[in-house]
Amino acid sequence: MNVKCRPLHKDNSVLIGDAAHAIVPFYGQGMNAALEDVRIFDEILFDKHHGDIHEALRSFTKLRKPDVDAISDLSHRNYLEMRDHVTHSDYILR
């Protein structure tokens, strides 16, 4: 199961981690992506927008959305590869 949300914010709230971009666990990057969400939001809120929550939320969605979609797509492709290909002799030979 994959979750892709847009926008990642509404009013004064922001979705991070699995709430915003749940990914299949086989790629092993879900927790890393969630922690990166927190780090990036902190930088945007305090360093770039100096506490302006509304601007920070818009910037976070704009900046983060392509990256979380990419990790979601990569993890899903990895799942399909592991599910469908690892038992085939051509894959094992490669």
Side-chain angles (χ1 to χ4, degrees):
M1 172 182 195
N2 286 2
V3 173
K4 292 183 180 180
C5 296
R6 186 167 186 100
L8 300 177
H9 70 281
K10 175 136 173 94
D11 299 327
N12 291 339
S13 301
V14 64
L15 294 174
I16 63 170
D18 284 350
H21 47 81
I23 60 177
V24 295
F26 308 102
Y27 207 55
Q29 294 299 312
M31 179 61 76
N32 289 338
L35 293 172
E36 189 174 42
D37 284 348
V38 173
R39 181 188 58 81
I40 289 172
F41 185 70
D42 180 73
E43 289 174 2
I44 289 171
L45 178 60
F46 295 110
D47 297 342
K48 184 175 180 184
H49 292 291
H50 309 290
D52 183 339
I53 189 74
H54 298 292
E55 286 301 315
L57 290 170
R58 282 191 284 275
S59 291
F60 179 75
T61 290
K62 185 177 180 181
L63 177 70
R64 194 72 179 126
K65 183 66 175 144
D67 292 341
V68 297
D69 282 353
I71 196 67
S72 177
D73 293 343
L74 285 169
S75 68
H76 186 70
R77 277 189 237 137
N78 183 1
Y79 164 72
L80 294 176
E81 182 174 340
M82 299 305 281
R83 181 192 71 185
D84 295 335
H85 300 292
V86 296
T87 59
H88 294 171
S89 58
D90 291 344
Y91 183 88
I92 295 168
L93 183 60
R94 185 182 64 171

